[in-house]
């Protein structure tokens, strides 16, 4: 599923606006102990962002790479820009940046993903943040997680993922180390109780 599909979607799947929480037996190392916010799910596939994996780059690094500022200008950035969080959103198109944000910032290229959250993947939002503007709550994610038709449903049925309604506070919370445990707690689950093996009654 592509970003253009997300923008033009009319069909909504049961995983839209849900968290996926990786089970301990998840074999794909890209997703070990991850929490993923699903932005789009339909018969064509699914797209979402890992929300608990750090990224070594800073927002200043991104601005320098995009040549939006020069080295000497970095110290002049407003605090909100210098401290703006960058995370690893997933293994697909890992060099591409996406900003997941509250809906108080909307541009022509912003895509609503829920009643309160939008996605923007163009330079206008990066420019706004660099000047101290932009949305009240936001995070930049490099790359995304994507699944083809039926792939995610198969992974869930094979005990790869748990799912529950997303929590906006958790999406934008900057404390990543225990976000996996806190996502499980939304379901009343203690991580230590999870088995890495699928069970069949």
């Amino acid at each position: 599923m592509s970003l253009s599909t997300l923008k033009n979607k009319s069909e909504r799947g049961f995983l839209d606006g849900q968290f996926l929480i990786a089970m301990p037996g998840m074999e794909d190392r890209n997703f070990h102990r991850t929490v993923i916010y699903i932005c789009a799910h339909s018969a064509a596939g699914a797209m979402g962002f890992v929300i608990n994996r750090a990224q070594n780059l800073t927002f200043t690094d991104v601005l320098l790479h995009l040549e939006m500022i020069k080295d000497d200008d970095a110290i002049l950035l407003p605090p909100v820009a210098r401290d703006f969080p960058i995370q690893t959103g997933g293994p697909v198109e890992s060099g591409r940046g996406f900003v997941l944000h509250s809906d108080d910032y909307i541009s022509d290229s912003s895509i609503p993903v829920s009643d309160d959250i939008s996605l923007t993947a163009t330079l206008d939002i990066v420019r706004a943040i660099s000047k101290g503007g932009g949305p009240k709550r936001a995070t930049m994610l490099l790359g995304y997680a994507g699944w083809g038709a039926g792939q995610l449903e198969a992974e869930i049925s094979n005990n790869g993922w748990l799912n529950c309604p997303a929590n906006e506070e958790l999406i934008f919370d900057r404390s990543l180390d225990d976000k996996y445990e806190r996502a499980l707690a939304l379901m009343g689950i203690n991580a230590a109780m999870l088995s890495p093996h699928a069970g069949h009654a």
Side-chain angles (χ1 to χ4, degrees), residues 57-64 68-69 73-86 125-136 138-140 174:
L57 292 174
T58 66
F59 190 66
T60 302
D61 293 332
V62 171
L63 294 175
L64 289 167
M68 296 178 77
I69 62 169
D73 299 329
I75 196 154
L76 302 175
L77 288 171
V80 67
R82 287 200 302 270
D83 298 335
F84 191 76
I86 311 285
I125 193 167
V126 176
R127 198 170 288 111
I129 293 164
S130 73
K131 294 176 180 175
K136 182 179 178 185
T139 187
M140 175 175 277
R174 295 189 183 195

Side-chain angles (χ1 to χ4, degrees), residues 46-68:
M47 176 187 181
F49 296 95
V50 176
I51 60 164
N52 67 326
R53 186 156 287 172
Q55 172 62 242
N56 292 328
L57 292 174
T58 66
F59 190 66
T60 302
D61 293 332
V62 171
L63 294 175
L64 289 167
H65 175 75
L66 294 171
E67 298 182 352
M68 296 178 77

Side-chain angles (χ1 to χ4, degrees), residues 124-170:
D124 52 351
I125 193 167
V126 176
R127 198 170 288 111
I129 293 164
S130 73
K131 294 176 180 175
K136 182 179 178 185
R137 309 182 81 178
T139 187
M140 175 175 277
L141 302 131
L142 299 183
Y144 65 91
W147 294 265
Q151 185 181 358
L152 182 52
E153 292 86 342
E155 290 180 12
I156 291 172
S157 68
N158 288 329
N159 204 42
W161 302 96
L162 295 170
N163 64 284
C164 69
N167 175 289
E168 185 177 339
E169 292 297 319
L170 205 59

Side-chain angles (χ1 to χ4, degrees), residues 167-180:
N167 175 289
E168 185 177 339
E169 292 297 319
L170 205 59
I171 291 171
F172 295 116
D173 192 316
R174 295 189 183 195
S175 178
L176 305 183
D177 290 346
D178 64 344
K179 195 175 278 194
Y180 179 76

Side-chain angles (χ1 to χ4, degrees), residues 95-115:
R96 185 175 180 191
F98 303 84
V99 179
L100 201 58
H101 59 90
S102 50
D103 64 356
D104 53 328
Y105 174 93
I106 296 292
S107 72
D108 290 342
S109 57
S110 297
I111 303 166
V113 295
S114 75
D115 291 340

